[in-house]
Amino acid sequence: METRLKIPKNHPRADSIRIRENLIEGEERSIVAKAGLFAHGRGEAFDYFIGEASMPTALSAARAAASSLLLASHAVISVNGNMAALVPEALVELSMESGAPLEVNLFYRSRKRELAVRDALLAAGATNVLGLGARTATIPELFSERRKVDPDGIYRADVVVVPLEDGDRTEALKRMGKFVITIDLNPLSRTAQSADITIVDNITRAIPNIISAIRELRSCDAESIRSIARGFDNKKNLSEVIIFIRDRLTALAEEERD
Ligand code: ATP
């Protein structure tokens, strides 16, 4: 996305600066909550550790996510402010490719923010955005505003994509029997640890990776798609992520010493 600030293309941190600017502008437009800026800072630190590129583990998790979306009866993509500020077009594209509707779901919910997030998605080409109707259902045992869900969306979904999520809600969705796909740069977060598929990657790279995987898998037969979904082991993938980070940091430390 274009930003107000002109960032030289050859700046070594151009992507990272562009992401920050999108979030700052998103906060000014009420799309992003102030707490969303802090959540981004935590993610950004992990992105530095992984080298700001999709790891092989992120590509295989994105492929497993694509398979699960293709196999779902009623998948839904939960959208918060940071997502709407960073990747609105990609979210609309993923929704169209997978057939999973977009549902606005905010921790710091106000009518103004709900509408700002919805409008960002509509401006990016969405035609139907769930989560703003008069009817709401409730996720049991959850006390934040995020417990409110759309009865036609997350409430009856079998597969839910919940990127940049907090652990309480992920665990509550799991207790409701949902299959949870998340995107989280922190492999140690409660969300990353409790989801069924965790893509440890920046959302700006992960969503396009899922879209590419869906397009590639469309030509496969149902049994091959099922075997990709069944063959994915989230705990093993997360452990490989941590080993990747350890090895990368060790190599960098050795370079410093030499
Ligand atoms: P938990 O409750 O699951 O332990 P948390 O307290 O860190 O996690 P939040 O701050 O709500 O919960 O979650 C935000 C998560 O999103 C963080 O783990 C952060 O690393 C991650 N994150 C932030 N920005 C991005 C991004 N652009 N792409 C992917 N992940 C991101």
Side-chain angles (χ1 to χ4, degrees):
M1 273 172 80
E2 275 305 305
T3 55
R4 227 168 21 203
L5 186 77
K6 291 288 156 245
I7 306 158
K9 282 203 170 51
N10 58 353
H11 190 288
R13 308 219 38 78
D15 284 347
S16 172
I17 297 171
R18 192 172 309 108
I19 290 174
R20 279 191 195 180
E21 280 305 310
N22 278 330
L23 287 169
I24 292 167
E25 289 172 26
E27 197 275 329
E28 289 166 5
R29 289 162 56 209
S30 304
I31 297 171
V32 174
K34 285 202 169 61
L37 302 176
F38 291 102
H40 175 70
R42 181 159 37 223
E44 197 178 49
F46 279 96
D47 210 7
Y48 221 106
F49 289 159
I50 66 174
E52 296 171 311
S54 299
M55 297 172 284
T57 44
L59 298 179
S60 53
R63 221 167 121 79
S67 318
S68 303
L69 285 171
L70 289 173
L71 295 168
S73 310
H74 181 55
V76 174
I77 304 164
S78 178
V79 181
N80 68 18
N82 285 38
M83 295 164 66
L86 291 179
V87 283
E89 285 90 4
L91 286 170
V92 173
E93 207 177 331
L94 176 62
S95 172
M96 286 190 306
E97 282 292 337
S98 63
L102 301 169
E103 175 168 337
V104 176
N105 192 273
L106 307 173
F107 192 95
Y108 298 98
R109 193 187 270 269
S110 68
R111 189 67 185 157
K112 189 175 173 194
R113 278 199 69 221
E114 271 178 0
L115 296 176
V117 171
R118 181 202 62 188
D119 290 349
L121 295 172
L122 294 178
T127 48
N128 178 27
V129 179
L130 301 176
L132 285 96
R135 289 189 317 132
T136 53
T138 305
I139 301 179
E141 303 166 51
L142 196 64
F143 300 101
S144 75
E145 281 296 291
R146 277 189 149 181
R147 71 177 183 268
K148 287 185 191 160
V149 286
D150 196 309
D152 299 320
I154 291 173
Y155 192 71
R156 70 177 186 88
D158 55 345
V159 174
V160 192
V161 184
V162 282
L164 282 59
E165 186 55 85
D166 72 280
D168 291 345
R169 187 156 172 269
T170 309
E171 286 165 9
L173 288 169
K174 285 294 306 163
R175 282 196 296 274
M176 286 175 83
K178 312 286 180 197
F179 186 90
V180 175
I181 300 172
T182 194
I183 301 167
D184 192 330
L185 277 160
N186 178 2
L188 306 173
S189 77
R190 285 182 305 151
T191 297
Q193 296 285 333
S194 53
D196 294 285
I197 299 179
T198 304
I199 306 171
V200 180
D201 203 358
N202 200 311
I203 190 154
T204 56
R205 299 185 296 266
I207 300 277
N209 286 341
I210 305 174
I211 296 169
S212 304
I214 290 179
R215 288 188 180 139
E216 181 210 314
L217 290 171
R218 280 214 187 285
S219 57
C220 297
D221 59 89
E223 194 37 48
S224 313
I225 297 174
R226 266 195 290 275
S227 82
I228 293 168
R230 269 199 303 262
F232 183 78
D233 179 337
N234 206 43
K235 287 281 169 216
K236 184 163 171 281
N237 194 270
L238 284 171
S239 135
E240 286 167 4
V241 168
I242 295 166
I243 290 168
F244 180 99
I245 295 173
R246 180 199 66 188
D247 290 350
R248 187 166 185 277
L249 294 182
T250 305
L252 288 172
E254 279 164 6
E255 264 175 43
E256 287 290 325
R257 214 173 29 212
D258 293 341

